[in-house]
Amino acid sequence: FKENRKDDIWLVDFYAPWCGHCKKLEPVWNEVGIEMRNMGSPVKVGKMDATSFSSIASEFGVRGYPTIKLLKGDLAYNYRGPRTKDDIIEFANRVAGPLIRPLPSQHMFEHVQKRHRVLFVYVGGESPLKEKYIEVASELIVYTYFFSASEDVLPEYVTLPELPAVMVFKDGTYFVYDEYEDGDLSSWINRERFQGYLHVDGFTLYELGDTGKLVAIAVIDDKNSSVEHTRLKSIIQEVARDYRDHFHRDFQFGHMDGNDYINSLLMDDLTIPTIVVLNTSNQQYFLPDKHIESTEDMVQFINNILDGTAEAQGGDGLLQRIKRIIYDAKSTIFSVFKSSPLLGCFLFGLPLGVISIMCYGICTADTEGEVFEHEGAKKESGDRELTDEGSEEEQEEEKNGKYTELSDGELKQKDIMEKKKD
């Protein structure tokens, strides 16, 4: 494989035998291989144990499992989409095909527009803009398609201020790239590669983080058909459609089913249905200070965010990071006990038990040390009491000392008394 891989286009799953996600992907991966072969695709599908061939895995920058890469010549493209058969095959066909796909006729343009919800088109001849377009396409082909066309191929409703031009077609309309207003071409394409309104999940929200846009989400329950749930969803859809010219550069719109993910993201318990605006670049979020009753209320809320009068919450400061660590720890412990109480008791009870025994041993050792020290002090004190009178030599010396302190007359008298006794 290492010697001959550049002769073909390869779609490779780098996996680890012990990885649970890899085992879950395996049946899907087998279906991908069978369908790619049946459809006559030039892409070869394979998988490699990255733990056995770690040098090759390192060569391709594999850092987690499973990692899906399409290898095309000297280039290696990472797949970051949902791990479903259709999404993986669509990715492989897009990246394996031409980098820039020509649209030779209006019929072909209409056919492509029906198939793709978002498509980028370069219009014009050779130019520095086209070179930049090709360069960006080589980087972002993993996300979307890139086409080229002549001006007469475009629909009649399209008007271009000048040529060459780069356009994006989506949401039933089109936007033309303006270098002065939109900045770098790569950043603009990265921002515009999503539809104006999306069904947002955790993966989509992660991908939206690269766009730099604020994300306005109606957090609802899709299974709940009550008026309040459907009304908030409709308000977001109307703003995304009717005010796209005002907000599409700064805002992405959508709805999210359920509040579990958003609660973990905000470290708060949001009552649904509700509306929240997320700044994925710095983890700040905005909640409306009053109930959103209409499209006008939502537009006012967005304008307050843009002009800085809306209060931002959260963020990525030190206190928020500490709060995140504590929240994640609590969530992990709670989820473990909820899913498997016995496993939770083993994982957390065993270390706590060991720590308790160690603490008990330390405290017990300190107490015994104090008892021994107290007994030693008593013994030393007793020894002092026993030797307070001193030895015979010390007593004799003491007597001699006293004698020296007597006067000469007293000494003569004492000698006479001693002679009498003799």
Side-chain angles (χ1 to χ4, degrees):
F1 168 77
K2 188 175 181 180
E3 296 174 355
N4 303 318
R5 71 167 185 84
K6 292 185 180 181
D7 299 336
D8 299 291
I9 301 173
W10 280 92
L11 183 67
V12 182
D13 167 29
F14 293 91
Y15 72 97
W18 44 261
C19 171
H21 295 291
C22 301
K23 294 176 181 177
K24 187 177 180 180
L25 177 64
E26 187 173 359
V28 176
W29 195 252
N30 291 336
E31 293 178 5
V32 169
I34 292 171
E35 186 155 337
M36 295 286 284
R37 182 179 58 197
N38 292 340
M39 66 194 306
S41 172
V43 179
K44 291 187 175 183
V45 181
K47 60 181 181 178
M48 178 176 291
D49 183 350
T51 60
S52 298
F53 302 97
S54 56
S55 60
I56 297 180
S58 298
E59 179 185 340
F60 292 116
V62 176
R63 294 182 177 85
Y65 310 112
T67 293
I68 298 173
K69 288 180 177 285
L70 187 132
L71 310 178
K72 185 180 180 182
D74 293 325
L75 300 175
Y77 296 92
N78 282 331
Y79 175 69
R80 299 177 180 175
R83 291 167 186 164
T84 64
K85 182 191 72 173
D86 293 338
D87 287 307
I88 294 173
I89 290 175
E90 199 271 341
F91 161 81
N93 290 334
R94 180 174 69 249
V95 179
L99 195 62
I100 309 295
R101 301 169 190 249
L103 298 174
S105 64
Q106 287 187 351
H107 177 73
M108 179 62 72
F109 186 95
E110 293 172 359
H111 173 70
V112 169
Q113 197 171 15
K114 290 177 181 177
R115 288 189 59 190
H116 304 292
R117 296 174 179 176
V118 179
L119 66 146
F120 293 90
V121 182
Y122 173 83
V123 184
E126 298 297 324
S127 68
L129 181 61
K130 184 175 183 179
E131 294 177 4
K132 182 65 175 177
Y133 183 72
I134 294 173
E135 179 185 338
V136 174
S138 65
E139 176 189 354
L140 300 180
I141 188 68
V142 293
Y143 298 120
T144 188
Y145 287 90
F146 294 88
F147 299 90
S148 64
S150 58
E151 191 174 7
D152 58 350
V153 170
L154 302 177
E156 295 180 358
Y157 62 83
V158 175
T159 57
L160 293 175
E162 61 180 0
L163 290 178
V166 176
M167 314 168 62
V168 59
F169 289 84
K170 64 178 183 178
D171 303 325
T173 186
Y174 69 96
F175 302 98
V176 182
Y177 168 66
D178 186 330
E179 183 178 1
Y180 297 102
E181 291 189 7
D182 299 316
D184 181 64
L185 179 62
S186 177
S187 300
W188 178 77
I189 291 176
N190 203 31
R191 289 197 305 269
E192 298 297 335
R193 62 187 175 91
F194 295 96
Q195 290 180 276
Y197 184 89
L198 298 169
H199 182 181
V200 180
D201 56 15
F203 176 78
T204 307
L205 202 57
Y206 173 78
E207 290 291 303
L208 289 172
D210 296 333
T211 66
K213 290 185 177 183
L214 299 173
V215 187
I217 305 173
V219 185
I220 61 173
D221 183 357
D222 275 339
K223 298 178 182 178
N224 192 326
S225 58
S226 65
V227 176
E228 185 66 11
H229 286 258
T230 55
R231 186 179 62 81
L232 287 183
K233 182 179 177 180
S234 299
I235 288 175
I236 295 290
Q237 288 174 330
E238 290 174 11
V239 173
R241 182 185 67 245
D242 299 339
Y243 293 84
R244 62 163 64 99
D245 292 337
H246 296 85
F247 299 137
H248 88 274
R249 278 189 172 92
D250 302 304
F251 275 84
Q252 178 69 50
F253 299 92
H255 77 275
M256 178 176 284
D257 181 21
N259 62 349
D260 290 341
Y261 183 83
I262 204 73
N263 284 347
S264 65
L265 192 66
L266 306 186
M267 295 181 288
D268 197 0
D269 189 12
L270 293 182
T271 303
I272 57 174
T274 189
I275 287 176
V276 60
V277 176
L278 303 173
N279 187 337
T280 54
S281 62
N282 60 9
Q283 299 182 15
Q284 287 184 341
Y285 63 95
F286 302 85
L287 296 174
D289 55 0
K290 65 177 184 178
H291 196 59
I292 302 296
E293 297 286 351
S294 62
T295 303
E296 289 72 22
D297 290 341
M298 187 65 201
V299 172
Q300 182 61 47
F301 177 43
I302 291 175
N303 286 327
N304 291 342
I305 294 173
L306 291 176
D307 62 26
T309 57
E311 181 184 359
Q313 302 181 48
D316 55 0
L318 179 60
L319 291 178
Q320 285 296 120
R321 293 178 184 179
I322 295 173
K323 185 179 177 182
R324 167 63 62 187
I325 293 172
I326 296 173
Y327 180 86
D328 289 342
K330 288 171 60 179
S331 301
T332 301
I333 294 173
F334 179 77
S335 61
V336 169
F337 274 99
K338 185 177 180 180
S339 60
S340 179
L342 292 177
L343 180 61
C345 292
F346 177 77
L347 291 177
F348 299 104
L350 183 61
L352 288 175
V354 173
I355 292 172
S356 300
I357 293 172
M358 290 174 63
C359 291
Y360 175 78
I362 292 171
C363 294
T364 305
D366 290 343
T367 304
E368 290 176 353
E370 291 175 0
V371 172
F372 292 150
E373 185 179 351
H374 181 65
E375 290 179 351
K378 287 177 63 180
K379 183 177 180 181
E380 184 179 352
S381 176
D383 290 342
R384 286 201 190 101
E385 292 176 357
L386 291 174
T387 58
D388 278 346
E389 296 179 356
S391 60
E392 292 181 358
E393 292 80 359
E394 290 174 344
Q395 292 178 20
E396 187 64 30
E397 288 177 359
E398 187 176 351
K399 288 180 180 179
N400 295 335
K402 288 180 180 178
Y403 292 156
T404 58
E405 294 176 357
L406 297 176
S407 62
D408 293 340
E410 292 174 339
L411 287 173
K412 291 179 180 180
Q413 184 68 26
K414 193 172 184 63
D415 289 339
I416 293 171
M417 293 296 294
E418 287 179 353
K419 288 180 180 178
K420 289 180 177 180
K421 286 180 181 178
D422 293 336

